[in-house]
Amino acid sequence: MSKSLSTEKNLLLKVDKEFPWETFRSKLNSLYSKKPKWDVILLLKTLLIKFIYDISWNNLEGEIRDSKMFMEFLGGKVPPKSTVFFFYKRLQQTVASEGETMRTTLMDELNKALDKVISEYREKGFELEVGREKTIGSKTTT
């Protein structure tokens, strides 16, 4: 019987160790005319949580605060949803004005890091289930 990868609580923490966050810092900082109040890597990590776990913008801060794993992944800091949304919009504008280069590079690096972690887990007998809570019979997993 295989286990669900979504029940493995340290998935994001493993991705955190594999993903080359710092490679993108200067590019992400360039989205702002002056140093942003919130760290751009923290904002990128928050976006990753939002999209991997399919969390709405309205629920983003609360879902992060309610999850020990999310809080640890973000170093105990939770940026306001409006700041994360503004960062996301700036990132979209930059991608649009510079073509697909930045998005492709970012997504390639993210996919490599995720693939490595997922492969390790699959070798241990886990199945991949990313997203919101899933109910299997009477058991709910996250």
Side-chain angles (χ1 to χ4, degrees), residues 119-130:
S119 294
E120 289 175 12
Y121 275 90
R122 283 192 175 137
E123 288 172 11
K124 294 176 185 176
F126 287 89
E127 289 181 6
L128 176 63
E129 286 184 33
V130 176

Side-chain angles (χ1 to χ4, degrees), residues 12-101:
L12 284 176
L13 302 178
K14 287 189 69 71
V15 170
D16 194 24
K17 292 177 185 174
E18 299 296 329
F19 189 72
W21 300 107
E22 291 303 318
T23 353
F24 298 99
R25 182 176 295 284
S26 64
K27 185 69 170 179
L28 295 172
N29 275 329
S30 73
L31 298 174
Y32 298 89
S33 57
K34 60 182 182 175
K35 185 177 178 181
K37 180 179 177 183
W38 290 90
D39 179 60
V40 291
I41 301 302
L42 177 72
L43 297 174
L44 183 60
K45 287 179 174 185
T46 306
L47 275 180
L48 183 66
I49 290 170
K50 188 238 181 295
F51 290 116
I52 286 181
Y53 292 93
D54 191 29
I55 301 170
S56 73
W57 288 109
N58 287 336
N59 294 333
L60 188 58
E61 289 175 68
E63 293 262 354
I64 290 171
R65 281 192 175 86
D66 288 345
S67 169
K68 189 175 183 179
M69 177 179 60
F70 293 165
M71 289 297 291
E72 191 172 342
F73 180 63
L74 297 176
K77 299 175 183 170
V78 184
K81 66 182 176 196
S82 59
T83 302
V84 179
F85 184 74
F86 184 66
F87 173 76
Y88 174 63
K89 287 300 183 185
R90 281 186 170 227
L91 186 58
Q92 283 183 317
Q93 289 169 353
T94 302
V95 169
S97 66
E98 295 184 14
E100 292 294 310
T101 308

